[in-house]
């Protein structure tokens, strides 16, 4: 989920691609050939569409300055999360909560790195994933625009997933937290089971990923299934946890939550990955009380992601969208709430989508009668163990009658996030030792 962790495309997007005419394909092909033959002539002369900073090679958390940036972004994310959770009361507006989360992250980012860095370059920072507040059967990406919300308010018993992300200089930190609005008794009968199951699975997975254990992504996938089985819930399909790189929250290394089998043939396999030190991961766990298949909702898509294709926009509306994205939002997903002129933004996004320059991130959901819980946090894998950067403890009002029964999972759950430390050598007091040696010699005489 989140920028493609659930790899699905909206029906409208698929239909647009399928219906693209042969003439359109030929024209794009000729345009690309011309670009390759005459490199650089296709860009705007005023350098408005120059290269983005996300081309910079990823840096390691072995650098203290990189660690500081991750921690700073995580601090802002956690602060915004606390504020949104406090605002999740009965009758609260979903769109206003989404705007609140983004506003806090932007305000906090504006206070740091105001001046250029040592090289004289501007330090980019801001929202890395727009705040979304998804209720009940909605799994992710529900961030309605205030003008289109149609009075959507939170109700008591709503199982609410809050998702947001922030970056400092391209170092990304994200979080997803699930709560129940108001009285837990008003929620789905299995709400507490699925919330606790998702949280426990994420906690155990964090320990499995400890670098000194030399585990791989296969071990995490298997553990998800055992925890879900103990709680009588389902791990949702299509969810991936990714290693985070600079300017890229979807690194090539990933963990699949559950293997999707079709006619006894597994068709969602990922490359084996052994967890090592000095890595940053965003762990993502999504579980459902019923069906594990997630599909695109009919709700309007409000979160979008820009592609790597670089073409000059042909319409005024497309130019308006692309200019705003490049100046403020960079390579990260963005919400239509960031645009003051919503009608023009919609037209511009449609034009850019037709040019393959943007993709929608649709609202994902399961069956209407089901409830989805989701937890996600960013963490650093260090030689000393796991350092969890974002996220909060399990809500106090969540207390499932079920628990983890699997022996292997129970053993891992009791383990520490930190690697066993070597016993420190006791430094001898050389002066005292020398004194004792002298006294012993005098006694011998």
């Amino acid at each position: 989920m989140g920028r493609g962790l659930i790899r699905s495309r909206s029906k409208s997007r698929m239909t647009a691609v399928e219906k693209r005419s042969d003439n359109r394909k030929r024209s794009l092909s000729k345009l690309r050939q011309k670009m390759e033959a005459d490199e650089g002539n296709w860009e705007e002369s005023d350098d408005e569409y120059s290269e983005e900073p996300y081309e910079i090679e990823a840096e390691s958390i072995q650098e203290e300055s990189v660690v500081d940036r991750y921690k700073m972004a995580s601090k802002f994310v956690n602060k915004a999360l606390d504020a949104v959770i406090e605002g999740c009361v009965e009758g609260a507006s979903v769109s206003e909560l989404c705007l609140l989360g983004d506003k806090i992250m932007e305000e906090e980012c504006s206070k740091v790195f105001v001046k250029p860095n040592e090289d004289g370059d501007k330090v980019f920072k801001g929202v890395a994933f727009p705040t979304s507040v998804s209720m009940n059967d909605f799994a992710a990406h529900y961030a309605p625009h205030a003008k289109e919300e149609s009075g959507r308010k939170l109700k008591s018993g709503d199982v609410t997933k809050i998702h947001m992300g922030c970056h400092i200089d391209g170092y990304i930190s994200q979080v997803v937290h699930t709560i129940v609005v108001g009285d837990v008794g008003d929620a789905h009968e299995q709400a507490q089971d699925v919330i606790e199951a998702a949280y426990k699975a994420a906690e155990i997975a964090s320990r499995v990923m400890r670098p000194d254990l030399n585990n791989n992504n296969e071990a995490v996938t298997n553990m998800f299934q055992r925890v879900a089985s103990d709680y009588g819930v389902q791990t949702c399909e299509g969810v991936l946890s990714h290693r985070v790189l600079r300017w890229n929250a979807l690194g090539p290394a990933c963990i699949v939550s559950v293997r999707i089998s079709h006619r006894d043939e597994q068709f969602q396999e990922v490359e084996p990955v052994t967890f090592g030190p000095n890595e940053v991961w965003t762990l993502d766990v999504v579980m459902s009380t019923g069906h594990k298949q997630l599909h695109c909702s009919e709700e309007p898509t409000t979160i979008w992601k820009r592609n790597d294709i670089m073409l000059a926009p042909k319409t005024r509306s497309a130019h308006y969208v692309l200019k705003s994205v490049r100046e403020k939002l960079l390579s990260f997903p963005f919400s239509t709430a960031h645009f003051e002129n919503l009608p023009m933004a919609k037209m511009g996004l449609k034009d850019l989508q037709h040019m393959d320059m943007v993709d929608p991130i649709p609202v994902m959901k399961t069956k209407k009668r089901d409830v989805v819980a989701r937890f996600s946090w960013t963490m650093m894998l260090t030689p000393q163990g796991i350092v969890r950067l974002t996220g909060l403890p399990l809500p106090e009002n969540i207390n499932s009658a079920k628990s983890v029964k699997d022996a292997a999972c129970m053993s891992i759950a009791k383990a520490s996030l930190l690697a066993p430390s070597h016993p420190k050598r006791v430094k001898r007091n050389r002066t005292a030792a020398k004194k004792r040696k002298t006294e012993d010699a005098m006694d011998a005489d």
Side-chain angles (χ1 to χ4, degrees):
M1 257 178 281
R3 287 188 39 176
L5 296 187
I6 289 183
R7 292 183 174 177
S8 300
R9 292 194 176 193
S10 65
K11 296 179 180 179
S12 60
R13 165 71 179 153
M14 295 175 65
T15 303
V17 174
E18 291 171 357
K19 291 184 177 181
R20 183 176 295 159
S21 66
D22 292 337
N23 291 335
R24 175 63 179 165
K25 290 181 180 179
R26 284 195 293 269
S27 63
L28 283 174
S29 177
K30 291 180 180 179
L31 180 58
R32 291 191 180 98
Q33 290 175 3
K34 182 178 179 181
M35 288 161 51
E36 293 175 358
D38 190 13
E39 184 178 359
N41 291 340
W42 58 278
E43 294 185 336
E44 292 290 328
S45 58
D46 60 359
D47 202 30
E48 184 177 0
Y49 302 108
S50 58
E51 289 296 324
E52 289 283 3
Y54 64 77
E55 298 286 346
I56 299 175
E57 185 177 354
E59 297 182 16
S60 170
I61 56 173
Q62 289 177 295
E63 296 290 334
E64 185 177 354
S65 61
V66 174
V67 175
D68 291 341
R69 283 163 168 77
Y70 272 118
K71 289 184 176 180
M72 189 179 296
S74 302
K75 178 182 177 181
F76 299 160
V77 166
N78 289 330
K79 182 174 182 179
L81 176 62
D82 285 334
V84 175
I85 290 177
E86 186 178 353
C88 285
V89 296
E90 188 173 0
S93 167
V94 176
S95 63
E96 290 180 3
L97 291 172
C98 294
L99 292 174
L100 174 64
D102 291 350
K103 180 182 178 182
I104 292 176
M105 288 188 288
E106 290 172 351
E107 287 179 349
E108 293 299 318
C109 286
S110 66
K111 301 175 184 177
V112 299
F113 293 105
V114 178
K115 298 180 180 179
N117 60 17
E118 298 174 353
D119 299 328
D121 299 326
K122 178 182 178 181
V123 177
F124 294 92
K125 71 267 187 187
V127 176
F129 197 95
T131 305
S132 64
V133 179
S134 310
M135 299 85 66
N136 302 323
D137 55 321
F138 288 167
H141 313 150
Y142 184 66
H145 197 281
K147 297 180 180 179
E148 298 181 331
E149 190 180 2
S150 302
R152 181 67 68 99
K153 308 289 184 182
L154 292 180
K155 298 180 296 183
S156 178
D158 279 344
V159 177
T160 305
K161 283 75 64 181
I162 304 166
H163 179 195
M164 61 183 66
C166 178
H167 81 95
I168 300 293
D169 199 18
Y171 298 102
I172 307 162
S173 187
Q174 296 190 68
V175 69
V176 182
H177 194 71
T178 301
I179 62 169
V180 176
V181 177
D183 188 1
V184 178
D186 296 334
H188 189 279
E189 57 183 3
Q190 278 190 287
Q192 296 192 61
D193 295 339
V194 72
I195 294 174
E196 187 171 312
Y199 188 85
K200 292 293 184 182
E203 275 200 324
I204 297 173
S206 301
R207 288 158 172 79
V208 173
M209 296 171 68
R210 218 173 64 190
D212 63 296
L213 299 178
N214 293 320
N215 287 323
N216 59 16
N217 49 359
E218 178 82 5
V220 177
T221 301
N222 294 335
M223 182 277 304
F224 285 155
Q225 305 314 304
R226 294 198 291 268
V227 174
S229 177
D230 288 342
Y231 280 88
V233 297
Q234 298 282 346
T235 305
C236 292
E237 296 177 347
V239 182
L240 298 175
S241 301
H242 286 266
R243 181 181 173 185
V244 182
L245 304 176
R246 190 182 186 192
W247 302 105
N248 184 10
L250 303 179
C254 61
I255 306 167
V256 62
S257 61
V258 57
R259 299 177 193 83
I260 305 176
S261 298
H262 179 67
R263 296 181 180 178
D264 299 327
E265 293 182 3
Q266 296 176 357
F267 63 88
Q268 189 185 21
E269 293 294 340
V270 296
E271 292 293 328
V273 176
T274 300
F275 304 114
N278 303 315
E279 296 178 353
V280 179
W281 284 76
T282 294
L283 186 65
D284 199 354
V285 183
V286 184
M287 293 188 176
S288 169
T289 56
H291 296 76
K292 60 183 179 181
Q293 293 85 9
L294 297 175
H295 58 273
C296 299
S297 169
E298 296 180 356
E299 294 287 337
T301 297
T302 57
I303 301 178
W304 295 75
K305 170 69 172 67
R306 202 189 76 189
N307 289 331
D308 295 331
I309 296 177
M310 305 287 288
L311 299 174
K314 297 182 179 180
T315 63
R316 181 182 177 186
S317 57
H319 177 86
Y320 165 72
V321 172
L322 192 58
K323 182 178 180 180
S324 299
V325 170
R326 295 183 66 87
E327 289 180 352
K328 300 178 182 179
L329 309 173
L330 304 177
S331 61
F332 299 106
F334 56 91
S335 170
T336 54
H338 290 284
F339 299 101
E340 297 180 359
N341 191 335
L342 182 59
M344 179 174 285
K346 282 186 170 183
M347 290 188 292
L349 287 169
K350 186 176 180 180
D351 294 338
L352 293 174
Q353 183 182 2
H354 188 66
M355 299 172 68
D356 286 340
M357 295 182 69
V358 296
D359 273 332
I361 301 180
V363 179
M364 305 303 299
K365 64 172 295 183
T366 183
K367 298 290 184 180
K368 185 70 176 178
R369 60 181 178 274
D370 297 333
V371 167
V372 176
R374 183 185 178 200
F375 287 94
S376 177
W377 49 64
T378 298
M379 56 190 185
M380 297 189 298
L381 280 58
T382 70
Q384 293 74 35
I386 302 296
V387 179
R388 182 172 153 186
L389 297 175
T390 59
L392 299 173
L394 184 69
E396 295 180 356
N397 59 351
I398 302 301
N399 186 18
S400 172
K402 300 178 181 179
S403 62
V404 178
K405 301 294 185 183
D406 184 84
C409 291
M410 291 177 64
S411 176
I412 298 171
K414 295 177 182 178
S416 172
L417 287 172
L418 300 178
S421 58
H422 297 287
K424 296 182 179 179
R425 295 181 179 179
V426 179
K427 295 183 178 179
R428 297 180 178 180
N429 190 322
R430 295 183 177 181
T431 304
K434 186 177 181 180
K435 183 178 180 180
R436 285 195 299 269
K437 186 176 180 180
T438 304
E439 291 175 350
D440 292 343
M442 292 175 62
D443 293 341
D445 293 341

